[in-house]
Amino acid sequence: MIHVMGAGAYGTALAVSLAQNGPVTLWLRDKVQAKEIQETRENRKRLPGVRLPDNLTVTSAMPAPKDGELTLLAVPTQKLRGFLESHVAQLGRGPLIACCKGMELGTGLSPTKVISALRPQGISAILTGPSFAADVARGLPTALTFACADAESGTGIQAQLTTPNIRVYRTTDVIGAEFGGALKNVMAIGCGAVIGAGLGESARSALMTRGFAEIVRVATTHGAQRDTLSGLSGFGDLVLTCTSEQSRNYMYGQSIGRGDVFDETVTVEGAATARAMTQLAQDQGLDLPVTTAVCGLVQGKLKVRDAMDMLLSRPLKEE
């Protein structure tokens, strides 16, 4: 049995895919919505058009995972701490696997560090990489990274998370996987803003490239491995998120570039992460010009062309 906490689009999609391997429980807080999804076999609000398998149970009753059973935490990074504070005692001693990307505002902590802070004993890991909920739920081929510091446990969990349409690669470099997944959303906002403002594909390519260099620089400073950042959870996720209109962060950036109002009910992890990482950069004396510019955009302190001018006027240097 696998338990998925959070019935947003991505949590639902993961539950659908994992149900190909065996029984899955999908939990959400809202009793009325849980009952509706369980009875209609469709999450019409978050993932319309996808029928839920018969062995996927939707419930608002918090499950009690048995030892060894996996629990996937598909809740936004900024809500992860609150969820765990309310429910961590009920989640047992089995592995807790974050399925969110970003850094927590106020602390700068990654999802696995938030988990470890609330439950010091037990395995905390993350499932990340280039994937859209619609593709995962429709059974389209997808490759993800599973990052777990415990190599032996990670091997067994990797097998449980692999499905007919999801190929899971394993790494012990949790830091690299989390920094790559968090910061690519920041760069996606910037790329969306560039396109939304009509600055062109060449400008987007430049921002992606320099943004990736920034991701590598800050992540390796914190102990990440360069190979991880060149893989699925780094470069792979960056390319997908910065070029597709399925990306919420990219579309949010486009709305900034066009001067449009964006739907506030849509979770945009990159906005909070830009603020968290800018504060971290100030505290640690790191030079993160792209992240700082995106932070200015999401806070309304910078216009897109001003941000681009600021980046272009930086001192010349070698690549």
Side-chain angles (χ1 to χ4, degrees):
M1 175 72 75
I2 291 179
H3 308 276
V4 180
M5 304 290 107
Y10 198 64
T12 303
L14 283 174
V16 168
S17 184
L18 289 166
Q20 297 176 91
N21 293 346
V24 174
T25 298
L26 178 63
W27 176 89
L28 69 159
R29 190 186 309 275
D30 191 306
K31 293 181 180 180
V32 174
Q33 189 180 1
K35 185 174 184 293
E36 177 186 326
I37 297 172
Q38 175 67 12
E39 292 178 350
T40 63
R41 310 307 299 162
E42 181 183 357
N43 189 343
R44 294 171 179 169
K45 183 178 180 180
R46 299 297 184 187
L47 200 64
V50 176
R51 177 169 176 77
L52 305 188
D54 293 339
N55 62 343
L56 197 169
T57 301
V58 183
T59 181
S60 61
M62 180 60 60
K66 298 177 182 178
D67 288 354
E69 290 185 342
L70 305 184
T71 300
L72 276 59
L73 304 178
V75 298
T77 298
Q78 305 309 321
K79 295 182 178 181
L80 181 59
R81 182 180 293 273
F83 171 82
L84 290 172
E85 287 174 343
S86 298
H87 302 295
V88 71
Q90 299 165 271
L91 296 178
R93 294 178 293 181
L96 296 182
I97 302 168
C99 300
C100 49
K101 303 169 184 177
M103 299 294 178
E104 186 181 48
L105 274 171
T107 67
L109 295 179
S110 66
T112 63
K113 289 189 179 299
V114 173
I115 294 170
S116 296
L118 273 296
R119 195 193 68 169
Q121 286 76 38
I123 293 171
S124 62
I126 188 164
L127 183 66
T128 184
S131 57
F132 290 134
D135 294 346
V136 171
R138 290 166 56 202
L140 299 180
T142 304
L144 298 176
T145 295
F146 173 66
C148 180
D150 185 328
E152 183 177 352
S153 298
T155 301
I157 297 172
Q158 175 189 25
Q160 294 182 70
L161 295 176
T162 297
T163 73
N165 69 295
I166 297 179
R167 180 176 174 82
V168 177
Y169 289 82
R170 185 183 72 257
T171 181
T172 57
D173 182 14
V174 178
I175 296 173
E178 291 194 295
F179 267 94
L183 284 168
K184 63 89 184 180
N185 281 334
V186 176
M187 306 312 164
I189 293 173
C191 287
V194 163
I195 297 300
L199 299 182
E201 300 284 354
S202 298
R204 174 169 62 177
S205 176
L207 189 64
M208 281 179 63
T209 305
R210 297 314 306 163
F212 180 64
E214 188 166 300
I215 293 172
V216 172
R217 185 166 65 251
V218 66
T220 53
T221 296
H222 285 84
Q225 300 170 16
R226 288 180 178 271
D227 287 350
T228 306
L229 299 164
S230 298
L232 291 166
S233 58
F235 181 73
D237 213 355
L238 179 74
V239 170
L240 181 70
T241 313
C242 291
T243 59
S244 174
E245 294 189 354
Q246 288 192 67
S247 164
R248 292 169 297 182
N249 291 276
Y250 179 68
M251 293 305 295
Y252 172 64
Q254 280 204 13
S255 73
I256 293 176
R258 293 192 300 259
D260 296 340
V261 177
F262 192 75
D263 185 354
E264 293 183 355
T265 66
V266 176
T267 300
V268 181
E269 292 280 24
T273 297
R275 293 165 58 194
M277 289 304 301
T278 297
Q279 184 61 55
L280 185 69
Q282 293 173 355
D283 294 343
Q284 299 183 354
L286 300 173
D287 183 26
L288 305 180
V290 179
T291 300
T292 301
V294 172
C295 183
L297 292 176
V298 302
Q299 292 182 311
K301 296 179 179 179
L302 280 178
K303 299 295 185 183
V304 177
R305 290 186 180 275
D306 293 334
M308 187 58 68
D309 288 344
M310 182 179 73
L311 293 172
L312 290 174
S313 64
R314 286 171 54 82
L316 299 177
K317 63 178 185 178
E318 290 184 327
E319 187 171 29

